């Protein structure tokens, strides 16, 4: 039998197999037209977070916290692990299919492992290469069960940037936070930032290259290949000339802090930083440190938009400075409103603010909130010109002031979580600028004990409210606050942590973006007609 005959037989056999399968599997004639209903909303199955290096100060005291809320419909297995950025490796599976991460989660009641965890143990396997520490592949922080946060402390300048992933039952709503207290020196005060997902573009209005500021852009690469990043700086007269801003390489699974003042020779008080990733993806955040007024993290602003909300300006703010930028060539007059407890008001003397296209502008708004909770609402005429913005807030008396930053925030569509809350010094601020809303707030169990508590609140249209957030009964340690929307909206929220040290009001503010823990899965049905095309 020659090759042609064999090929013909093989082709006929394959065609018969396909035809046979189609005949056996063919649905009813009307099945292709039938729809089983709307798309199902299901928990995500995998997510990643990146935390920048907390501090370069030897006086820094950092707490890392991790938490996943209980989510209906989530898988009954999974892990949530944070490791040092330079110490990443894929978890190995045992013969029974259980990953080493899942087994590590059984070490200690708080679920923490690694060099700084109270229950961490040495990694007997060691690392790859003579320079790798024996602890290198151990998690810094790992969850044991949804609904209970875990925390671990690290002191000094050696606290690492972290890269982590969560899957299965831990993926939906996974949140991580790092809070650092620096007792003295440049940037002294409380610095907090929520760990974020990797992306390819970021905007940071409110940075500075002035002599009084020491601002670092932190870039973290979670992947196995290098990322290439362009950094653009915009000042009061337009784009600044940079020396090494183009084609910055971030090595695989590593973190890179860049001092902004070394990227340009120009000294400017108000700068907008634009990060564009050419290849790969990174996490990005700006650490803004001041010689006199402390410092904090400046998270990325919401994407450029004609309507922005900056939620949760503390009611005792002594000074508020707004920094805004439009990437468009056109100028814009921003309408400024303050969402107060009684409704939307227009600040006297700051009814509109003029922005020139491609130029960063700063505006001193004074003691804007005047003893009441407030959120800034910025609107471009007809939403025609996109804008990014952030405010720098000062609290305390002259000589004993501390600063924090609030960028324009994304709306809380379904759920968000704030970590590292304590029984005192936690303020949850919620605003509904366009319509009334109802929210539900749940206080989790504490890291060392406590019973969850839940409360429901109604937020009136156009107002900002500092809600009296629930506290776990019998709280020990810190706890998580999870905010869920029930009706109305859109809703924007932020959380403030505050404490007083040496007469200085240390504080930090984090907006609460939606955790994107749920995803719509489209409806689908069989349609074998595609085999005939």
């Amino acid at each position: 039998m020659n090759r042609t005959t064999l090929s013909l037989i093989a082709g006929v056999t394959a065609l018969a197999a396909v035809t046979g399968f189609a005949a056996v599997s063919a649905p009813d004639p009307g099945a292709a037209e039938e729809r089983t209903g709307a798309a199902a909303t299901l928990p995500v199955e995998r997510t990643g977070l990146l935390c920048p290096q907390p501090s370069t100060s030897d006086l820094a005291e950092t707490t890392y916290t991790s938490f996943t809320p209980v989510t209906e419909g989530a898988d009954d297995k999974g892990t949530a692990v944070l490791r040092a950025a330079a110490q990443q490796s894929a978890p190995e599976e045992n013969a029974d299919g259980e990953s080493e991460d899942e087994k590590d989660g059984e070490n200690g009641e708080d679920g923490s492992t690694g060099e700084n965890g109270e229950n961490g143990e040495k990694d007997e396997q060691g690392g790859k290469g003579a320079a790798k520490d024996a602890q290198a592949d151990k998690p810094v922080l790992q969850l044991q069960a949804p609904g209970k946060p875990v925390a671990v402390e690290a002191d000094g300048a050696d606290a690492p940037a972290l890269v982590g992933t969560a899957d299965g039952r831990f993926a939906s709503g996974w949140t991580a936070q790092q809070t650092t207290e620096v007792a003295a020196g440049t940037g002294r005060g409380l610095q907090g930032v929520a760990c974020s997902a990797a992306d390819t573009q970021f905007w940071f209005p409110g940075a500075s290259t002035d002599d009084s500021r020491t601002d670092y852009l932190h870039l973290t690469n979670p992947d196995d290949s290098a990322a290439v990043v362009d950094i653009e700086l915009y000042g009061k007269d337009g784009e600044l000339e940079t020396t090494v801003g183009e084609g910055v390489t971030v090595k695989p699974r590593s973190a890179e802090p860049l001092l902004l003042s070394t990227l340009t020779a120009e000294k400017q008080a108000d700068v907008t930083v634009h990060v564009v990733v050419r290849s790969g993806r990174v996490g990005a955040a700006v650490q803004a440190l001041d010689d006199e007024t402390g410092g904090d993290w400046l998270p990325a602003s919401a994407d450029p938009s004609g309507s922005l909300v900056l939620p949760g300006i503390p009611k005792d703010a002594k000074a508020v400075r707004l920094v805004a930028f439009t990437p468009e060539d056109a100028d814009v007059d921003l309408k400024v409103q303050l969402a107060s407890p009684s409704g939307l008001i227009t600040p006297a003397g700051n009814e509109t603010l003029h922005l020139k296209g491609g130029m960063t502008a700063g505006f001193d708004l004074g003691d804007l909130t005047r003893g009441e909770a407030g959120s800034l609402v910025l609107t471009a005429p007809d939403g025609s010109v996109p804008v990014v913005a952030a405010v720098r807030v000062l609290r305390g008396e002259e000589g004993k002031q501390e600063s924090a930053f609030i960028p324009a925030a994304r709306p809380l569509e379904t759920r968000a979580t704030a970590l590292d809350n304590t029984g005192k010094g936690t303020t949850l601020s919620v605003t509904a600028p366009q319509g009334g809303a109802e929210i539900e707030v749940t206080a989790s169990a504490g890291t060392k004990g406590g019973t969850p508590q839940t409360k429901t609140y109604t937020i009136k249209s156009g107002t900002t409210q500092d809600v009296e957030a629930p506290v776990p009964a019998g709280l020990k340690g810190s706890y998580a606050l999870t905010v869920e929307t029930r009706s109305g909206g859109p809703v924007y929220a932020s959380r403030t942590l505050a404490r007083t040290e040496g007469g200085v009001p240390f504080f930090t503010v984090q907006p609460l973006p939606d955790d994107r823990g749920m995803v719509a899965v489209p409806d689908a049905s069989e349609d074998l007609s595609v085999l005939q095309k």
Side-chain angles (χ1 to χ4, degrees), residues 391-414:
V391 293
R392 183 189 187 206
V393 179
L394 296 181
R395 293 177 64 236
E397 301 301 327
E398 192 72 29
K400 291 188 174 182
Q401 290 185 321
E402 228 267 84
S403 57
F405 295 85
I406 306 172
R410 297 175 178 85
L412 196 168
E413 297 174 358
T414 304

Side-chain angles (χ1 to χ4, degrees), residues 153-181:
E153 296 181 354
D155 296 336
D158 295 331
L162 303 182
V163 175
T165 57
D167 57 23
R169 62 176 180 158
F170 293 103
S172 180
W174 184 42
T175 307
Q177 157 95 15
Q178 63 185 39
T179 308
T180 303
E181 182 175 323

Side-chain angles (χ1 to χ4, degrees), residues 166-451:
D167 57 23
R169 62 176 180 158
F170 293 103
S172 180
W174 184 42
T175 307
Q177 157 95 15
Q178 63 185 39
T179 308
T180 303
E181 182 175 323
V182 180
T186 299
R188 63 96 178 91
L190 199 61
Q191 303 171 19
V193 65
C195 305
S196 59
D199 209 338
T200 57
Q201 182 171 230
F202 306 85
W203 293 94
F204 299 97
S208 178
T209 59
D210 193 69
D211 288 334
S212 64
R213 289 270 290 272
T214 305
D215 286 16
Y216 288 91
L217 172 64
H218 288 252
L219 302 174
T220 307
N221 179 8
D223 298 325
D224 292 328
S225 58
V228 180
V229 177
D230 291 337
I231 304 167
E232 303 165 355
L233 306 180
Y234 296 88
K236 62 181 180 179
D237 299 317
E239 186 169 4
L240 305 181
E241 183 177 351
T242 59
T243 53
V244 291
E246 292 187 3
V248 175
T249 299
V250 185
K251 296 179 181 178
R253 297 186 178 274
S254 68
E256 185 75 28
L258 301 172
L259 182 60
L260 291 184
S261 60
T262 64
L263 302 184
T264 180
E266 298 189 49
K267 304 296 183 181
Q268 297 207 12
D270 301 311
V271 172
T272 298
V273 181
H274 185 206
V275 177
V276 181
V277 184
R278 283 194 206 173
S279 64
R281 56 183 188 141
V282 300
V286 170
Q287 190 176 36
L289 310 177
D290 191 277
D291 293 339
E292 301 294 332
T293 58
D296 204 351
W297 289 94
L298 170 61
S301 170
D303 294 335
S305 173
S307 178
L308 300 175
V309 178
L310 292 72
I313 300 173
K315 61 184 179 182
D316 60 349
K318 293 295 183 180
V320 177
R321 182 171 178 82
L322 170 67
V323 179
F325 173 82
T326 172
E328 298 290 315
D329 293 333
D331 296 358
V332 60
D333 289 316
L334 280 179
K335 180 182 178 181
V336 180
Q337 292 178 295
L338 180 70
S340 71
S342 58
L344 288 169
I345 61 175
T346 301
N350 292 299
E351 295 84 357
T352 59
L353 302 175
H354 184 70
L355 288 184
K356 294 182 179 180
M359 302 180 186
T360 299
F363 308 93
D364 286 319
L365 304 181
D367 55 343
L368 181 70
T369 53
R370 298 183 182 276
E372 294 185 327
S375 301
L376 268 184
V377 179
L378 307 177
T379 309
D382 302 323
S384 56
V385 179
V387 176
V388 292
V391 293
R392 183 189 187 206
V393 179
L394 296 181
R395 293 177 64 236
E397 301 301 327
E398 192 72 29
K400 291 188 174 182
Q401 290 185 321
E402 228 267 84
S403 57
F405 295 85
I406 306 172
R410 297 175 178 85
L412 196 168
E413 297 174 358
T414 304
R415 182 182 62 183
T417 298
L419 300 184
D420 208 20
N421 302 288
T422 55
K424 295 182 179 180
T426 296
T427 302
L428 179 63
S429 186
V430 184
T431 184
Q434 299 176 16
E438 183 178 87
I439 62 169
E440 182 178 274
V441 182
T442 299
S444 74
T447 53
K448 299 178 181 180
T451 304

